Amino acid sequence: MKSLLDVSTQKSVKIVGISGGKGARRSLAQLGIGIGSVVKIKRNAPFAGPLLIENHGSSIAVGRGVAAKIMVEDI
Amino acid sequence: MKIALIGQPNSGKSTIFNAVAGYKSVTSNLPGTTVEYMESRVRLNGAVYDLVDFPGTYSLSSTNEAEAEVGKYLLSQKFDLIINIIDASQLGRSLPLTLELIDLGIPMIVALNMMDEASRKGIEIEVDALSELLNMPVQTTVASKNLGVRDLFVNAKHVIEEGKKSIPGSIPCQKDVEEIICELEYEIKQNFAPKVVYPSRFLAIKLLEDDEYYQSILSHQNGHMLSDKVRVLQNKLVQLRGKPQDSVLVLERHAMAMDIYGKVVKIGHPHSDWREKLDHIVMHRMGGYFILITILLSFFYIIFEFGALLEGYLLTGFENLQQSLSGVLDQNSIWFYLVQSIVWGISGGIAIVLPYLVPFLIGLTILEDAGYLPRVAFLMDSFMHRIGLHGTSIIPAVLGYGCNVPAVMATRILPSRRDKIIAAVISSMIPCSARSVVIFGLVAFYLGPFWAFAIYLFNIVVISLTGKVLSWLMPEVSPGMILEIPPYRWPSSRVIFRKTWFRIKEFIMVAWPILILGSVVLGMLEYFQLDKLINQGLSPLTALLGLPAVVGTTLIFGVLRKELALIMLTQALGTTQILTVLSTNQVLVFTIFITFYIPCVATMAVLSRELNRSWMILVVMITLILAILFSFMFRVFGHLIL
Ligand SMILES: Nc1nc2c(ncn2[C@@H]2O[C@H](COP(=O)(O)OP(=O)(O)O)[C@@H](O)[C@H]2O)c(=O)[nH]1
Ligand SMILES: [Mg+2]
């Protein structure tokens, strides 16, 4: 299983699990991101800075700590 | 008649509110700026309404403090109508909130705002079909251009007149999930109906979502017998959908929303989007910082050049006025002291404060409304992690450059209490526009812009260290950034004008009278020679800092409003030619002290409200100690660098 951190830019992936606290899970759910969502990685610069992902046309910045807890699979 | 304006962050609630209520609520292109409830009585189409602008919220769950408040407020007050404002270009993402609101059993209409954005994105919405599916009127608007707002309130009037008949019926979930909700709702109705004021369906859903706030209400009512039932039903839900219990219903609502979205939206051709391309540069991991620094530097220089030019002219003018005054009135009479101090107060506002404040606020408005700040949060995330926070905390900090009060309130967007505390303490140490006026009007004007810039940098270093120390004292893993990055929007000149005017009006109506009054009090103290007493009392401090004893009183008054310290400095010294009485080193020491010491009274009040009184007192102590430490440091070592 791989996390959002391992996905390269411009690829779309499907979320299969979000571990960690329920705070992050809920904040993400409110933006429409949860298990089953398909998100596109717009920016993932290794070592530096948060990821930028796209979901239903809106851009969301996700810190690397959060991204590490989002498990995804290729589609 | 009470109307609530509710919508997700950045959907244009405040813009609609301001369109009908006059500019009262601060708009901006970033989440979390309206944290207070603005209420205004408006007269529209012959009826009187109490209109309430709510903070933006993605849902009615208690994910963070700001969102929890919305639910409580909405249900504790009796509202006759909810106007749900939706960003049409984000329809799918916005509908889950609409679905939640429907369950509250309050008459509702939808304002489909930002229609211009939607059509630019090539999103075509069948408004009638949407209205049909939601069982409520839907009115399209472009609030920033004031289009459709009038019709929106005509609709509102009709709906209110219909009263209970216009309460929209709930939209059922898919059958399997719906059965679970109904089962719990039935249970609540059976056992708690007379005791809970909340609509039972809404409550059932919140309990299934594990929402702490609504759970706590029921447990007060001896709802323990319910919790077993809730657990059983939650497990069923988890099995049905294979998602964790805390987000399964939230995601279910999203699925329903996307279903509606699919039925009413046709995606056409988006117009070419230069904004995507712009983000490639602005958020680039190297270029982004280059642009950030360029923007900050040019921001700084424009304000300085513009302000210093005006300050120079105006000060000479008022200096002449002061001199001619001594020809008219007897220099030792109380009248002379009175008139002179009023002139100081007025001229200080015009010559020293406004030249910097106006361009500063215009610049800040553009940065806020263009949507740049969330990008700054993106760029600064790694840095903020180094001081134990994450990118989102930079937003209150940046707002602090305008005024610390809204900055401290904006820390409510942070879900963790610990992050909120650190961010609030940091925000109250940011040089606000009043302190900036002192930095610009004194240091930049007399010592040159380089020194002013150095003070800002020094402040950032100190703040970062403070953050680092605080997070070291409160070791807790910060949950990390989850922040929506809104599209760029060029703010209309109308919005810029009104927002700047709104903030300047605050200066003119609130701060300026205090400045004039402060000058008069100082004038009278001088006339009765009471200032000597105060100055003597403060002489250990002024002596320590190597400042003339007469500045003692100004330091006290600075706690009221930081600009006051500057204006009273010229008054206490008896001249605007500061450098004839103070050395450059003394100017620097004075400014450092003013920049760092005790936040003004308004900030102290908001700190005790948002955190608590002990934190407020702690901040006062820390800043006082830091101020004395740094200004002493500059006194001793200043000559080495000046
Ligand atoms: N293009 C466009 N921009 C709008 C419209 N309505 C509001 N805005 C802008 O969107 C931003 C957010 O508006 P605001 O009222 O602060 O949103 P709030 O967070 O819901 O209170 C501001 O920069 C407004 O000028 C609209 O209909 N079209
Ligand atoms: Mg607002």
Side-chain angles (χ1 to χ4, degrees):
Chain A
M1 240 202 316
K2 62 178 179 179
S3 80
L4 210 53
L5 283 178
D6 308 318
V7 184
S8 50
T9 311
Q10 296 306 332
K11 270 186 87 174
S12 292
V13 285
K14 185 169 160 191
I15 295 176
V16 293
I18 302 174
S19 57
K22 81 175 182 187
R25 201 151 48 216
R26 229 190 238 165
S27 304
L28 285 169
Q30 289 183 357
L31 292 162
I33 300 175
I35 293 173
S37 307
V38 172
V39 295
K40 184 174 161 196
I41 313 296
K42 286 168 81 177
R43 183 94 27 109
N44 179 6
F47 312 117
L51 280 73
L52 194 65
I53 62 179
E54 189 183 300
N55 176 260
H56 300 314
S58 56
S59 303
I60 295 147
V62 179
R64 297 190 84 76
V66 179
K69 294 181 184 141
I70 302 178
M71 296 300 148
V72 295
E73 67 184 25
D74 291 320
I75 45 167
Chain B
M1 292 285 130
K2 239 173 139 91
I3 302 181
L5 293 179
I6 302 189
Q8 297 194 338
N10 248 333
S11 53
K13 297 172 295 299
S14 299
T15 313
I16 289 188
F17 179 87
N18 291 336
V20 292
Y23 201 102
K24 290 207 177 109
S25 193
V26 171
T27 60
S28 37
N29 193 9
L30 51 115
T33 37
T34 310
V35 278
E36 263 194 320
Y37 300 81
M38 283 303 300
E39 187 166 342
S40 177
R41 179 155 293 186
V42 295
R43 188 177 292 278
L44 280 169
N45 313 318
V48 176
Y49 303 106
D50 286 318
L51 201 59
V52 184
D53 182 20
F54 274 70
T57 175
Y58 288 110
S59 81
L60 297 176
S61 319
S62 330
T63 315
N64 63 37
E65 217 182 324
E67 306 205 328
E69 286 295 323
V70 173
K72 283 183 221 171
Y73 191 85
L74 195 54
L75 287 162
S76 60
Q77 310 268 323
K78 252 207 79 48
F79 281 96
D80 299 285
L81 177 73
I82 292 175
I83 299 183
N84 176 207
I85 292 148
I86 288 181
D87 174 352
S89 67
Q90 302 272 15
L91 182 63
R93 222 259 332 269
S94 311
L95 284 171
L97 176 63
T98 312
L99 295 174
E100 273 184 293
L101 290 169
I102 288 176
D103 285 335
L104 295 178
I106 299 173
M108 243 177 107
I109 59 177
V110 163
L112 207 49
N113 192 33
M114 310 235 181
M115 287 303 282
D116 54 337
E117 290 272 323
S119 55
R120 198 171 308 141
K121 276 196 182 173
I123 298 173
E124 239 175 83
I125 302 172
E126 288 176 39
V127 179
D128 293 335
L130 181 62
S131 164
E132 189 94 1
L133 284 169
L134 296 174
N135 310 315
M136 64 181 79
V138 175
Q139 170 68 46
T140 56
T141 57
V142 181
S144 54
K145 302 207 179 83
N146 212 353
L147 298 176
V149 178
R150 175 168 287 272
D151 293 334
L152 177 67
F153 282 90
V154 171
N155 265 320
K157 192 175 175 200
H158 287 315
V159 171
I160 290 180
E161 278 164 1
E162 275 177 28
K164 280 210 159 40
K165 263 192 295 172
S166 58
I167 295 177
S170 295
I171 299 177
C173 304
Q174 278 187 17
K175 196 157 166 286
D176 45 0
V177 173
E178 185 64 26
E179 273 167 6
I180 293 177
I181 296 173
C182 286
E183 195 175 333
L184 187 58
E185 190 186 351
Y186 176 78
E187 198 81 7
I188 293 173
K189 271 193 183 146
Q190 287 293 302
N191 298 308
F192 294 92
K195 292 187 209 145
V196 284
V197 291
Y198 296 111
S200 47
R201 182 185 165 82
F202 176 76
L203 201 53
I205 292 176
K206 286 298 154 216
L207 290 180
L208 289 171
E209 280 175 25
D210 251 355
D211 190 293
E212 293 88 0
Y213 173 66
Y214 296 99
Q215 270 170 352
S216 74
I217 305 185
L218 268 200
S219 57
H220 281 310
Q221 320 261 12
N222 196 13
H224 301 299
M225 49 179 295
L226 254 191
S227 49
D228 293 336
K229 184 88 197 171
V230 171
R231 197 130 316 130
V232 171
L233 292 173
Q234 272 177 345
N235 284 340
K236 257 195 198 169
L237 270 179
V238 171
Q239 271 172 11
L240 279 174
R241 290 290 183 267
K243 291 167 188 168
Q245 56 178 16
D246 48 39
S247 49
V248 57
L249 277 181
V250 183
L251 294 169
E252 192 69 20
R253 268 199 300 278
H254 271 276
M256 288 167 70
M258 290 321 290
D259 195 38
I260 299 177
Y261 179 85
K263 285 181 185 149
V264 301
V265 167
K266 274 204 219 77
I267 305 271
H269 279 291
H271 298 233
S272 82
D273 212 354
W274 52 271
R275 295 183 287 190
E276 279 286 312
K277 296 191 186 105
L278 188 59
D279 264 343
H280 282 308
I281 315 167
V282 172
M283 293 166 82
H284 188 266
R285 67 195 156 108
M286 313 273 265
Y289 298 97
F290 179 73
I291 290 181
L292 178 63
I293 291 170
T294 312
I295 288 181
L296 290 185
L297 278 179
S298 32
F299 189 67
F300 182 85
Y301 267 96
I302 290 171
I303 295 165
F304 170 70
E305 290 295 335
F306 183 82
L309 190 71
L310 278 181
E311 184 183 353
Y313 279 123
L314 292 170
L315 272 189
T316 347
F318 280 107
E319 188 89 337
N320 294 340
L321 187 68
Q322 293 283 355
Q323 263 153 25
S324 53
L325 199 65
S326 48
V328 186
L329 287 167
D330 173 13
Q331 293 225 20
N332 291 318
S333 71
I334 188 166
W335 293 112
F336 177 76
Y337 275 87
L338 190 65
V339 174
Q340 194 194 30
S341 48
I342 292 177
V343 173
W344 278 122
I346 295 175
S347 61
I350 295 178
I352 305 179
V353 179
L354 287 178
Y356 298 103
L357 196 61
V358 174
F360 186 89
L361 293 179
I362 292 177
L364 198 66
T365 300
I366 295 176
L367 283 188
E368 275 176 22
D369 277 41
Y372 186 58
L373 296 193
R375 271 108 187 148
V376 176
F378 180 88
L379 289 172
M380 297 302 285
D381 186 56
S382 314
F383 174 78
M384 296 303 275
H385 269 291
R386 236 166 259 168
I387 62 170
L389 291 170
H390 58 84
T392 316
S393 339
I394 200 114
I395 289 183
V398 174
L399 291 177
Y401 284 99
C403 174
N404 291 173
V405 175
V408 171
M409 288 198 294
T411 57
R412 286 189 200 165
I413 55 173
L414 300 171
S416 128
R417 169 87 184 158
R418 169 226 183 233
D419 288 6
K420 182 185 154 97
I421 291 174
I422 301 179
V425 172
I426 285 182
S427 303
S428 69
M429 292 170 68
I430 297 270
C432 61
S433 57
R435 283 180 257 193
S436 288
V437 164
V438 183
I439 298 176
F440 277 110
L442 211 53
V443 171
F445 191 68
Y446 291 107
L447 273 64
F450 170 77
W451 286 105
F453 196 65
I455 290 187
Y456 282 103
L457 280 185
F458 180 62
N459 175 268
I460 290 176
V461 172
V462 170
I463 284 175
S464 314
L465 291 178
T466 311
K468 183 116 192 128
V469 171
L470 284 175
S471 48
W472 176 71
L473 290 174
M474 292 189 272
E476 193 181 301
V477 182
S478 168
M481 173 161 77
I482 299 170
L483 181 70
E484 192 185 350
I485 307 286
Y488 291 106
R489 297 200 175 100
W490 187 249
S492 67
S493 47
R494 196 171 122 245
V495 168
I496 298 177
F497 175 79
R498 294 192 18 159
K499 189 165 164 182
T500 310
W501 171 238
F502 175 74
R503 288 169 160 173
I504 289 174
K505 207 167 68 186
E506 199 265 344
F507 170 76
I508 294 177
M509 310 286 267
V510 182
W512 210 350
I514 297 180
L515 293 189
I516 296 172
L517 199 69
S519 296
V520 172
V521 171
L522 182 62
M524 291 300 102
L525 288 176
E526 280 176 347
Y527 179 75
F528 294 107
Q529 309 219 328
L530 290 171
D531 60 325
K532 299 233 165 57
L533 237 60
I534 299 178
N535 289 337
Q536 205 151 34
L538 284 174
S539 60
L541 178 65
T542 42
L544 179 73
L545 303 183
L547 294 171
V550 287
V551 307
T553 25
T554 67
L555 299 181
I556 300 239
F557 281 94
V559 181
L560 284 180
R561 297 277 314 187
K562 296 278 178 159
E563 309 98 324
L564 201 51
L566 173 58
I567 290 170
M568 294 180 88
L569 178 71
T570 53
Q571 189 181 1
L573 295 171
T575 174
T576 53
Q577 309 291 315
I578 302 278
L579 286 186
T580 57
V581 278
L582 290 183
S583 71
T584 49
N585 195 5
Q586 284 174 319
V587 169
L588 201 58
V589 168
F590 180 82
T591 311
I592 292 275
F593 189 81
I594 293 292
T595 310
F596 281 101
Y597 93 124
I598 309 190
C600 68
V601 277
T603 309
M604 277 153 62
V606 74
L607 276 176
S608 19
R609 203 172 67 215
E610 291 293 319
L611 303 180
N612 57 38
R613 190 189 294 245
S614 345
W615 271 106
M616 185 272 282
I617 293 171
L618 196 67
V619 169
V620 169
M621 308 278 271
I622 295 177
T623 51
L624 197 58
I625 293 171
L626 287 182
I628 295 175
L629 193 71
F630 295 140
S631 33
F632 182 69
M633 212 171 78
F634 271 85
R635 183 213 167 168
V636 178
F637 299 111
H639 64 273
L640 294 179
I641 47 174
L642 265 172

